[in-house]
Amino acid sequence: MTFSTLIDHRAAGDPAGAAVADSAQSLTNAELLVRVRAAAAQLTELGVLPGDVVALKLANRVEFVVLLFAAWRIGATVTPVNPALTEPEVLRQLEDSGARLLVVEDGREGVGEVPVISVSDIQRETPTSDAPPVVDPTALALLIYTSGTTGVPKGVMLDHANLDAMTAMGREALQFSGSDRCLLILPLFHVNGIVVSVLSPLLVGGSVVIADRFNPQSFFDAIEEHRPTFFSAVPTIYSMLAALPDEVKPDTSSVRFAVCGAAPASADLLSRFEQRYGFPLVEAYGLSEGTCGSATNPVDGLRKPGTVGLPFPGQEIRILGVDGDSLPHGAAGEVVVRGANVMRGYLGRPDETAAVIKDGWLHTGDVGRLDEDGYLTIVGRSKEMIIRGGENIYPKEIEDVLALDPTVLEVAVVGVPDEKWGEVVVAYVQPRPGSTVDLESIAALCEQRLSGYKRPSAVHVLETLPKSAVGKLDKLALRTAALVAN
């Protein structure tokens, strides 16, 4: 069974079983198959052929899932487009991907010369003819564009073999089963939302509920209403939930675990959240180039807060020094990953592909270390490392300390050029709702826990910290702001 035939198998085995729902509609397995077959036939009528790219510029909704499987059914590729992108950014992605068709929300216009269709015009009825699903593990399934915070976004090519490998790894590591129901809150234009929150539960016979836009005040109402067994989110979301008033005491008994990924989280946040809400918060690590996940703490078993856990089954992780040799346990260096989940490459960029995939190893650009048990700790991005007076400083170490202050919701640390030291440490903090950050307390905390050269030369309080489209802290924006201020 492949993802191009998954919906057929689900409909044959449990036609009345729940498949996917959002606030507007709920589809059984049989109903989902009808919708997928109808959309697949329509895509073919519109001239989409095997190997063509279909761009989906849609919010999180059932139709996104329908079109995903419809495109795969006919051998086409899907490139998700962030609805918040500007017209030039959308045009760049459409041109780079060679998109054959663009699907947009009702009332939205197309971009450039690519044919466009509104989501409400997608056919829903059983087609008069239905070609058999295309089954080709080497076919390109997803073209995921990187966020572009360090340059022009690149198209990450993920084939069906990548998806098969990643979901099999996730199934074993996170113990997914047919009884699982995911509450999807991450954007579907990101690989995490597609792989962890949609493909993984559907593959094992589970179901997906697509949540409305995240709101910390109403989030646990959705948990109590839909009774999911797991969900995946970014540290920002968990920080907001952990900061809710003490009187908020939801029923979370249905939740087996939640995944925390996309950006580093402090050990203190993980521990506080789990203690308050009563279910494991599993920190994991991965990137689009690795089809989402490369390491995770176990759901059952030893979880080490502050680490991102063990390699997914079937993957290898090494830590390399500047000379390219493997480093011993405890030493910090570049994280490299190998497995069947590693991308095919960057679309149309052979040189950049060769720069990050060497002898089958994906060079992540992240700095980390492995402990004696094989648990991975991410220290930071190699490009984010701060060199002050010849001393290497990893921002996450400082961020973890500042996050201990009870008035701090989020923190980001960047390096800023300095005439004397080369670079100095500058921190930005966002206060918890209803709290005021005391900079003297912050300074005392740093003095207690950080060596002198690691302490921030300045701490700025911002109402909100800038984020990328997938919820990661936008350190480039902060670094630029710091340069302007100086």
Side-chain angles (χ1 to χ4, degrees), residues 55-80:
L56 304 182
K57 188 186 176 189
L58 298 173
N60 283 11
R61 55 189 301 164
V62 162
E63 287 81 4
F64 190 109
V65 178
V66 169
L67 288 162
L68 190 71
F69 285 101
W72 292 344
R73 188 177 188 86
I74 63 173
T77 303
V78 169
T79 185

Side-chain angles (χ1 to χ4, degrees), residues 23 28 55 65 71 80-81 99-100 120 155 169 198 211 329 351 384 396 432 434 473 477 486:
S23 59
T28 65
V65 178
V81 180
R100 178 67 182 79
S120 62
M169 294 168 179
V198 175
H329 293 150
D351 292 342
E384 291 178 358
K396 187 174 184 299
R432 294 182 183 276
L473 289 168
N486 285 350

Side-chain angles (χ1 to χ4, degrees), residues 19-27 61-62 208-211 226:
V20 60
D22 59 21
S23 59
Q25 56 194 311
S26 178
L27 301 181
R61 55 189 301 164
V62 162
V208 180
V209 176
I210 301 173
H226 300 296

Side-chain angles (χ1 to χ4, degrees), residues 127-149:
T128 55
S129 62
D130 180 35
V134 174
V135 178
D136 180 3
T138 67
L140 190 60
L142 289 172
L143 195 52
I144 301 291
Y145 277 78
T146 57
S147 59
T149 57

Side-chain angles (χ1 to χ4, degrees), residues 260 265-267 270 281-285 295-298 302-310 369 371 374-378 396:
C260 181
S266 70
L270 299 172
L281 189 54
V282 176
E283 188 173 14
Y285 163 77
T296 182
N297 275 275
L302 177 62
R303 292 189 299 280
K304 294 187 178 183
T307 78
V308 293
L310 299 164
R369 57 177 177 266
D371 69 13
Y375 284 70
L376 174 65
T377 297
I378 298 297
K396 187 174 184 299

Side-chain angles (χ1 to χ4, degrees), residues 63 69 113 180 222 231 318 369 391 394 433 453:
E63 287 81 4
F69 285 101
E113 302 300 320
D180 275 314
F231 62 93
R318 290 180 181 175
R369 57 177 177 266
E391 296 282 358
Y394 296 107
Y453 71 93

Side-chain angles (χ1 to χ4, degrees), residues 243 405-409 430-438 461-463:
D405 188 287
T407 67
V408 172
L409 179 66
Q430 177 179 332
R432 294 182 183 276
S435 298
T436 300
V437 174
D438 185 340
V461 181
L462 300 181
E463 183 177 345

